[in-house]
Amino acid sequence: MDAATHPYRSVLYIPGSKERALDKARSLPADAIIFDLEDAVAPDAKAEARETLAEALRIGGYGKRAKIVRINALTTAWGLEDVRVLGDAGADAILLPKVNTPSDVDNLVDLLPATMPIWVMMETPTSVFNAREIAAHGRVTGLVTGTNDLTKELGCRVRADRMPLMNALQRIIMAARAARIVAIDGVYNRFRDGDGLLAECEQGRDLGFDGKTLIHPLQIEGANRAFAPTASEIDLAERQIEAFEQSKASGQGVAVVDGMIVENLHVVAAKRILAKAQAVAEMENV
């Protein structure tokens, strides 16, 4: 599942240890679920959570939602067993935390079925510096930004405009775009602050992220709205494509729409908007 065919507007973390949450996720309007065995599960509950999640995935019922399992780091006491139990339990991707270099991904590749995609948490300064190489790894299909961990590691202040993190956010996006893989923004911690969430979603969207990781179902609607093409964007895209095709048919290389030049690169962007709109429509038609 890549961003061209499947939307990732809302990517909701669900604790792998909570059967009720795992069941509720089957009916939530999120584009993707990250079933978390790492931060959301206490050490003494990890073994049971692993089996609980494996059973939920076997039962299924998650529809078109992308199913991503965040395992524990392979350097922990739980990571290897997570892979053994969940590597072929029905997930669409395995999310690896604590990645710093492509060799960390190599360690997981050796343990997974050859067809299983890998997503990577980008949550340390070292991972950000190595973002291009990590994203270019042949098995990596998604980057997830760990803004809380990055903030802790950098020792920077938490600001509404996220300026202290801006260099890291842009490096992650550029690495993902260079590799043509999915890029997901970090979480917004004030889950009852709808206005703040929307502002941060819009910032992430404008930077180029495909969607946002979420910590509560209350955040799904805002993320879905922010990362979906608007009616005006769809209308403009359709008119740009039509105008360009008409100009090309008459031997012209450019067109003009709403007083703005439209070249081939604008048509490529317009087609991308329409493709995302179609993917969103298909996702919501469940």
Side-chain angles (χ1 to χ4, degrees):
M1 290 184 176
D2 59 46
T5 58
H6 183 93
Y8 288 94
R9 301 166 298 168
S10 51
V11 183
L12 178 67
Y13 283 105
I14 292 288
S17 57
K18 296 184 178 180
E19 290 186 29
R20 183 177 177 182
L22 293 171
D23 182 59
K24 184 178 180 180
R26 294 182 171 95
S27 62
L28 293 173
D31 289 341
I33 303 292
I34 293 178
F35 300 99
D36 192 13
L37 294 174
E38 194 205 18
D39 290 345
V41 180
D44 60 356
K46 288 186 183 291
E48 183 178 355
R50 184 188 300 130
E51 300 300 330
T52 298
L53 175 55
E55 178 63 17
L57 290 173
R58 279 191 286 268
I59 293 171
Y62 292 100
K64 297 180 181 179
R65 300 164 192 85
K67 304 178 297 295
I68 303 153
V69 172
R70 181 163 76 169
I71 62 173
N72 290 279
L74 297 180
T75 54
T76 68
W78 313 286
L80 290 176
E81 189 65 9
D82 288 347
V83 177
R84 188 190 71 78
V85 173
L86 291 155
D88 59 355
D92 296 307
I94 298 296
L95 175 56
L96 182 64
K98 306 298 184 285
V99 171
N100 286 306
T101 69
S103 64
D104 295 324
V105 181
D106 289 334
N107 294 334
L108 179 58
V109 166
D110 295 338
L111 305 173
L112 286 175
T115 56
M116 176 61 69
I118 296 172
W119 282 28
V120 170
M121 292 297 305
M122 306 296 290
E123 51 191 344
T124 70
T126 303
S127 69
V128 173
F129 275 120
N130 292 325
R132 178 68 185 93
E133 291 75 19
I134 293 170
H137 192 288
R139 290 288 293 278
V140 172
T141 61
L143 302 181
V144 179
T145 311
T147 44
N148 284 336
D149 282 285
L150 273 173
T151 298
K152 179 195 72 173
E153 293 292 326
L154 293 173
C156 62
R157 293 193 175 188
V158 177
R159 291 175 35 160
D161 62 8
R162 299 200 294 179
M163 282 305 296
L165 292 175
M166 196 54 60
N167 180 266
L169 297 176
Q170 291 177 322
R171 280 176 173 263
I172 292 167
I173 293 166
M174 286 191 286
R177 292 296 163 258
R180 300 183 182 278
I181 63 175
V182 175
I184 305 298
D185 198 359
V187 299
Y188 183 73
N189 296 309
R190 298 180 183 273
F191 67 90
R192 296 189 186 277
D193 177 10
D195 291 339
L197 170 70
L198 184 59
E200 195 163 288
C201 284
E202 290 175 344
Q203 182 196 54
R205 175 201 66 200
D206 293 350
L207 285 170
F209 282 110
D210 294 299
K212 192 164 186 66
T213 43
L214 311 174
I215 58 174
H216 196 281
L218 287 174
Q219 298 179 316
I220 295 173
E221 181 182 356
N224 281 349
R225 183 169 69 251
F227 283 95
T230 65
S232 60
E233 288 173 331
I234 294 170
D235 174 69
L236 177 59
E238 290 174 339
R239 290 189 292 116
Q240 286 177 326
I241 294 169
E242 181 181 4
F244 185 79
E245 291 299 324
Q246 290 177 352
S247 294
K248 188 168 66 172
S250 64
Q252 303 296 315
V254 298
V256 177
V257 175
D258 295 346
M260 298 179 63
I261 293 293
V262 176
E263 300 178 278
N264 186 61
L265 64 92
H266 300 109
V267 173
V268 171
K271 289 181 178 179
R272 187 182 303 125
I273 289 171
L274 296 184
K276 185 169 187 177
Q278 179 63 30
V280 167
E282 292 176 357
M283 183 69 195
E284 294 180 344
N285 185 27
V286 295

